[in-house]
Amino acid sequence: MSIILRRAFSHRNLLLLRSSTFHGGDLSHQLINSAHNNNNDNSSTNIHALTLPTTLHFLTHSRRGFAKARKSKDDDAVSTIEVSPDIGPTIKANATSMMEAAIAALSGELNKLRTGRASPGMLDHIIVELDGVKMPLSHLAVVSVMDSKTLSVNPYDPNTIKKLESAIVASPLGLSPKVDGERLIAVIPPLTKEHIQAVCKVVTKSCEDARQSIRRARQKAMDTAKKLYSHAPKDDVKKLEKEVDELTKKFVKSAEEMCKAKEKEITGG
């Protein structure tokens, strides 16, 4: 029996197995003929020759199928990897928007303050009521500077001139405009020492409020970054923090410069 098996797995038969794999020949038939030529006794040789190629063929295809299945699973695993989007620019944009809003609010507060010099923006905060509707004075008239101590108010509708006059008088600016044809003339009175000190205190408080608003915008940006970048590299978080800090310094400096300019305008008047 061992002699028969050795002959069945001879070098010649192995070559036949390989050639049949590539050339599509009948592997069983070739192996039977080879075994028959080597030994013509015992039909068990034919049985082994028939079963062996079938087994090899099954193992080959099973191995290929396993490799394909494993590759398919690997592909699926790769396709399920999710990459977090870079939200850094969005965080910075939101922080910038909030800081710009703080600067705009500061500018509005400073424009409300009366100084010794005429400024067209000093009447923007005045609200005028027409037929039960409240509107900013800037929507009803054009305010211009005639000289350093005089304002001119030119209404779009001359019929509203009395309403404009009443609103200006009722404001805390202490102005007493006079009707001059179809316009109003408002002379800016000189500031007293007490008034200058009081206005400077308001400027200081407005500046601090702006700084606090800017810093709150920074803190909100930092909290958002730490929450959304909880699994991100620390270097990315630090880079974003540095960029937001630079924005904060920029807007705080802008607010302080605006307030210094306003104080100079007040004290110089």
Side-chain angles (χ1 to χ4, degrees), residues 4-243:
I4 296 174
L5 289 175
R6 288 194 189 96
R7 290 177 179 177
F9 286 102
S10 65
H11 179 67
R12 180 183 178 187
N13 291 336
L14 289 175
L15 290 176
L16 288 174
L17 283 172
R18 292 180 180 177
S19 62
S20 64
T21 303
F22 292 104
H23 300 290
D26 188 351
L27 182 62
S28 299
H29 181 69
Q30 292 177 11
L31 190 56
I32 290 171
N33 290 338
S34 176
H36 182 71
N37 292 334
N38 291 323
N39 193 346
N40 291 327
D41 60 350
N42 204 332
S43 62
S44 63
T45 303
N46 294 338
I47 295 174
H48 285 289
L50 286 172
T51 57
L52 179 62
T54 305
T55 304
L56 291 174
H57 187 267
F58 170 78
L59 291 175
T60 301
H61 281 274
S62 299
R63 187 175 180 184
R64 290 177 181 173
F66 174 76
K68 289 181 180 179
R70 183 174 60 185
K71 183 178 180 182
S72 177
K73 291 180 180 179
D74 292 340
D75 291 342
D76 292 340
V78 172
S79 63
T80 56
I81 297 176
E82 296 182 358
V83 179
S84 300
D86 184 11
I87 59 171
T90 302
I91 293 175
K92 288 188 292 183
N94 291 338
T96 300
S97 179
M98 294 177 66
M99 293 177 186
E100 288 176 345
I103 294 295
L106 174 62
S107 178
E109 290 298 320
L110 295 180
N111 286 334
K112 295 178 183 180
L113 303 176
R114 180 169 72 87
T115 65
R117 297 180 61 85
S119 171
M122 64 189 304
L123 303 182
D124 287 349
H125 68 284
I126 295 178
I127 301 299
V128 182
E129 184 173 353
L130 291 176
D131 299 327
V133 179
K134 295 182 179 180
M135 302 177 65
L137 184 143
S138 58
H139 291 183
L140 300 172
V142 176
V143 180
S144 58
V145 176
M146 297 180 65
D147 56 51
S148 62
K149 301 291 183 179
T150 310
L151 287 175
S152 173
V153 181
N154 299 274
Y156 296 121
D157 183 0
N159 295 325
T160 62
I161 194 167
K162 289 295 183 182
K163 293 290 185 179
L164 294 174
E165 180 184 6
S166 299
I168 294 172
V169 171
S171 72
L173 295 175
L175 302 179
S176 300
K178 304 295 181 182
V179 177
D180 182 24
E182 294 184 349
R183 68 177 182 175
L184 293 171
I185 302 298
V187 177
I188 310 301
L191 296 177
T192 64
K193 184 178 180 180
E194 291 76 13
H195 185 77
I196 291 175
Q197 291 175 350
V199 173
C200 286
K201 288 181 180 179
V202 174
V203 173
T204 302
K205 184 179 182 304
S206 298
C207 187
E208 183 59 28
D209 290 343
R211 277 195 292 258
Q212 292 297 329
S213 296
I214 294 170
R215 287 166 183 163
R216 281 194 296 270
R218 174 197 174 279
Q219 188 60 46
K220 184 175 181 180
M222 291 297 94
D223 292 342
T224 303
K226 290 178 181 178
K227 181 179 180 181
L228 298 179
Y229 277 83
S230 58
H231 301 293
K234 292 183 179 180
D235 290 342
D236 293 347
V237 179
K238 289 182 179 180
K239 180 182 177 182
L240 181 59
E241 288 180 353
K242 183 178 179 181
E243 292 174 350

